[in-house]
Amino acid sequence: MALKTEEMVLNMGPQHPSTHGVLRLELVIEGEIIKNVTPHIGYLHRCFEKHCEVMTYPQIIPYTDRMDYLASMCNEFGYVVAVERLMGIEVPERVEYIRVIMAELQRIASHLVAIGTYGADIGAFTPFLFCFRDREKILNLFEITCGARLLYNYIWIGGVMHDLHPDFIRLTKEFIKEFRPNLKELNDLLTFNQIFIDRTANVGILPAETAINYGITGPNLRASGVNWDLRINDPYSIYDRFDFKIPVGKGENGTVGDCWNRYYMRILEMEESLKIVEQAINQIPDGDVSSAIPKRVKPPAGQIYSRVENPRGELGYFIVSDGSVNPTRIKVRAPSFVNMVVFGELCKGHMVADVVAILGSIDIVLGEIDR
Amino acid sequence: MEQKSVKRRKKDLSFLERIYIPEILKGLSLTFKNMIRPKFTIEYPEERFIPSAAYRGRPVLIEENNGDERCVACGLCSRVCPALAIEVQAAETEREQERYPEKFEINMLRCIFCGFCEEVCPEEAIVMSKDYDLTFSNREEAIYGKDKLLVPVNQLQDRIDFLRKYK
């Protein structure tokens, strides 16, 4: 039996480099051991859902960018799919392919930030720079296509803003060729590094049952050994046409569902995303990209819940329309927000230093938690 | 509640694994390899990044060759702006287009560079330029009036060509 000490409350954040934004964690600790964690959120609240009620449907797209700002394309994609289903719009083939290519490139970029900052959180700074270098190449691709590097406003209801740059296909192929060896380098440097494995394996174990009970989605759920991906289980857009696997956590270096597994899922997912991008750019048909964009976006009265697989999990939009140009209500099911709930459970019994490792492995974006 | 640490330490590492030197060397070899690779970064203030024609920088108004503004002050940009950054006040004029903006202000603290104003403009009078490093020292300075917004048409030719090709 360890020595009993008095309980102490330790505030971590909101200005803390490892809380990935303005998040305050109230840690109840007994010596080094964590007894309880209460996350305090809301520092970045911008009233997204309320604000949507006074805006027209297309005007909301730039605001969806600003939720999960590391995966703007995927946010737009989810919103646009929801509105299109509500209005019954069929988009041209080429648009579907462009959207899938963009979403998958964005997934790679987002995972690169996730694993880069995760390395930096627990003391490996070099992979961080390498990840950002590779992400930069993806951002360059986005920039020549839609003119922005972070907040794109590219995917519109019924189409995309404008067609691909003539060099886009060539540059994407070049990127894939360059990125594969870099990914291997990253594996050598960080993933299978014994120091990194010792630091993350068997830390913050999330059993599959707990993950399902808490509603965890995305790589965090798959790391616990549950095979669930909306791209396969509830296909939207044209994901059913591509051949790719869903990586599932096996606990190679520890227990299924530990921090290392959650980290490793993102590496594997990047490889799968590369496969999808490769197939999509080889199959992309010619055609018009703006023919299905409606002049006035005025969905019929009704409601819809539509979900897509974001880099962080299931992103759902619940839209209620009364037949006017403004939505009556928009509710967002943000994956980071739901994934954050299990955080306290994971931290119990660990050391204070492990909080950072566990938080980084859940990969939250505060812009999405607070909206 | 009994306190327990979930963390299990691996005790069965071999001697080489335990001293971690091979792992450190592996990491360092990559560092040295990258020293001789070509540089990826640019030294920003000295060396400027030149964006492509697709780039959405600061929105500007087009000034025709004779010094008049092309804008007819219809106010569509101001209505479509999701961030409510644009304020237009129309006035009559003797010119062919009959109306011109007496006052045209964009609050650059509000602007989110979404490009909707450019998209909706029927006259191609407001376009996104390539300016990206906007700095102000107070809020009044951030409200750009016509003096700062008007840019001669020949400086924006590649953006106009891009829009005609892709829109």
Side-chain angles (χ1 to χ4, degrees):
Chain A
M1 191 69 195
L3 183 72
K4 279 271 179 201
T5 52
E6 215 171 291
E7 279 191 358
M8 184 186 123
V9 176
L10 181 72
N11 276 302
M12 185 172 159
Q15 267 77 37
H16 189 284
S18 291
T19 53
H20 292 229
V22 276
L23 169 72
R24 183 159 73 93
L25 298 171
E26 196 183 308
L27 313 172
V28 179
I29 51 178
E30 202 181 286
E32 272 290 325
I33 308 291
I34 291 178
K35 285 277 163 198
N36 200 12
V37 182
T38 319
H40 292 264
I41 60 169
Y43 290 92
L44 214 58
H45 190 60
R46 287 147 294 162
C47 300
F48 167 78
E49 290 173 8
K50 187 70 191 163
H51 195 46
C52 286
E53 293 169 17
V54 293
M55 291 196 292
T56 60
Y57 285 90
Q59 278 184 334
I60 294 167
I61 297 173
Y63 280 90
T64 61
D65 280 348
R66 282 155 178 78
M67 289 196 305
D68 184 351
Y69 43 76
L70 293 175
S72 300
M73 284 284 187
C74 303
N75 292 346
E76 291 170 9
F77 196 7
Y79 172 72
V80 160
V81 165
V83 178
E84 277 165 8
R85 279 189 189 160
L86 194 58
M87 292 178 75
I89 296 175
E90 280 284 320
V91 297
E93 283 280 282
R94 188 175 170 81
V95 173
E96 296 275 27
Y97 275 93
I98 292 176
R99 285 176 179 180
V100 167
I101 292 171
M102 291 298 166
E104 292 307 314
L105 283 175
Q106 182 75 84
R107 193 182 306 276
I108 297 171
S110 169
H111 283 343
L112 278 173
V113 178
I115 60 182
T117 50
Y118 189 43
D121 275 351
I122 60 177
F125 196 72
T126 317
F128 172 76
L129 295 174
F130 287 7
C131 288
F132 267 65
R133 177 197 62 197
D134 291 331
R135 174 172 177 260
E136 201 65 17
K137 290 175 191 161
I138 298 180
L139 297 195
N140 284 338
L141 287 174
F142 286 157
E143 194 212 306
I144 60 162
T145 313
C146 56
R149 299 176 72 82
L150 191 69
L151 306 161
Y152 310 104
N153 185 20
Y154 180 62
I155 299 177
W156 284 359
I157 296 160
V160 291
M161 192 181 199
H162 37 69
D163 205 352
L164 294 177
H165 191 272
D167 289 342
F168 181 84
I169 303 281
R170 182 177 59 81
L171 290 171
T172 311
K173 279 181 179 159
E174 262 171 37
F175 164 74
I176 293 172
K177 223 160 95 189
E178 281 170 22
F179 184 60
R180 284 233 162 90
N182 286 350
L183 201 57
K184 199 187 157 291
E185 200 176 71
L186 185 70
N187 277 338
D188 289 344
L189 186 66
L190 187 64
T191 314
F192 299 112
N193 184 318
Q194 196 59 45
I195 305 170
F196 180 73
I197 291 174
D198 278 6
R199 183 73 185 79
T200 54
N202 293 320
V203 173
I205 298 160
L206 175 65
E209 207 174 310
T210 318
I212 292 168
N213 287 347
Y214 275 93
I216 309 296
T217 45
N220 298 331
L221 177 69
R222 293 192 280 277
S224 299
V226 182
N227 192 339
W228 178 259
D229 189 313
L230 294 175
R231 289 173 292 172
I232 296 269
N233 296 82
D234 182 13
Y236 54 96
S237 192
I238 49 164
Y239 275 108
D240 45 357
R241 293 186 203 172
F242 302 112
D243 170 37
F244 64 102
K245 285 199 295 288
I246 300 301
V248 175
K250 293 192 180 74
E252 287 93 333
N253 281 300
T255 324
V256 176
D258 60 6
C259 285
W260 189 85
N261 248 247
R262 282 197 285 277
Y263 160 87
Y264 191 49
M265 274 314 101
R266 303 200 160 89
I267 297 267
L268 295 178
E269 272 187 28
M270 285 200 287
E271 281 168 14
E272 298 304 320
S273 289
L274 279 181
K275 278 189 208 161
I276 299 177
V277 174
E278 245 176 359
Q279 290 170 40
I281 55 175
N282 288 329
Q283 293 171 15
I284 187 165
D286 286 336
D288 194 37
V289 295
S290 51
S291 58
I293 297 180
K295 277 266 174 307
R296 272 193 99 187
V297 183
K298 221 173 161 187
Q303 55 187 37
I304 192 158
Y305 179 76
S306 167
R307 53 189 186 171
V308 294
E309 184 75 25
N310 236 32
R312 278 162 196 81
E314 175 185 326
L315 174 73
Y317 286 92
F318 178 61
I319 302 177
V320 183
S321 162
D322 59 355
S324 68
V325 290
N326 311 108
T328 311
R329 176 86 171 94
I330 287 190
K331 165 82 181 85
V332 182
R333 184 231 189 255
S336 292
F337 178 73
V338 182
N339 291 352
M340 188 68 205
V341 178
V342 82
F343 179 65
E345 194 85 355
L346 292 182
C347 282
K348 267 175 204 161
H350 281 294
M351 304 279 181
V352 174
D354 288 333
V355 171
V356 171
I358 295 170
L359 187 67
S361 76
I362 297 178
D363 183 27
I364 49 162
V365 167
L366 265 296
E368 190 178 54
I369 290 185
D370 293 339
R371 303 194 285 289
Chain B
M1 193 185 116
E2 194 189 339
Q3 69 183 24
K4 59 174 196 311
S5 181
V6 190
K7 171 102 184 166
R8 279 189 289 115
R9 289 262 167 222
K10 252 193 217 165
K11 291 282 188 323
D12 52 350
L13 297 178
S14 70
F15 175 70
L16 271 180
E17 280 173 335
R18 211 175 312 139
I19 56 174
Y20 289 126
I21 284 177
E23 297 297 327
I24 290 168
L25 286 182
K26 220 197 263 175
L28 274 180
S29 71
L30 194 70
T31 312
F32 286 114
K33 205 165 82 193
N34 273 278
M35 276 181 171
I36 50 169
R37 274 192 193 172
K39 254 190 205 156
F40 189 75
T41 49
I42 59 168
E43 288 170 20
Y44 161 61
E46 284 83 29
E47 202 183 330
R48 284 182 67 86
F49 150 71
I50 297 164
S52 65
Y55 192 76
R56 296 201 306 265
R58 175 173 78 97
V60 294
L61 285 175
I62 286 184
E63 187 184 281
E64 297 285 15
N65 289 328
N66 58 8
D68 293 341
E69 47 287 83
R70 190 183 277 182
C71 175
V72 294
C74 63
L76 274 178
C77 49
S78 141
R79 205 172 330 146
V80 82
C81 182
L84 314 174
I86 306 178
E87 196 187 333
V88 194
Q89 236 167 53
E92 302 276 316
T93 165
E94 298 298 305
R95 278 183 254 145
E96 190 196 340
Q97 62 197 27
E98 289 175 3
R99 274 154 63 92
Y100 82 106
E102 194 179 28
K103 179 174 140 195
F104 197 107
E105 279 182 357
I106 301 184
N107 186 341
M108 294 313 295
L109 288 171
R110 295 203 69 117
C111 178
I112 58 172
F113 305 92
C114 62
F116 275 140
C117 47
E118 174 192 53
E119 161 71 18
V120 82
C121 184
E123 299 285 322
E124 231 171 35
I126 183 165
V127 295
M128 310 299 274
S129 69
K130 287 182 184 177
D131 291 1
Y132 53 85
D133 42 1
L134 309 169
T135 49
F136 345 96
S137 51
N138 58 52
R139 278 164 193 267
E140 282 72 42
E141 241 177 75
I143 298 170
Y144 281 23
K146 272 205 306 186
D147 54 327
K148 282 182 183 162
L149 287 176
L150 282 169
V151 171
V153 62
N154 49 8
Q155 286 178 27
L156 299 161
Q157 202 52 52
D158 61 340
R159 179 70 188 178
I160 295 169
D161 292 343
F162 171 82
L163 290 177
R164 288 193 184 144
K165 197 168 161 200
Y166 285 100
K167 280 271 157 67

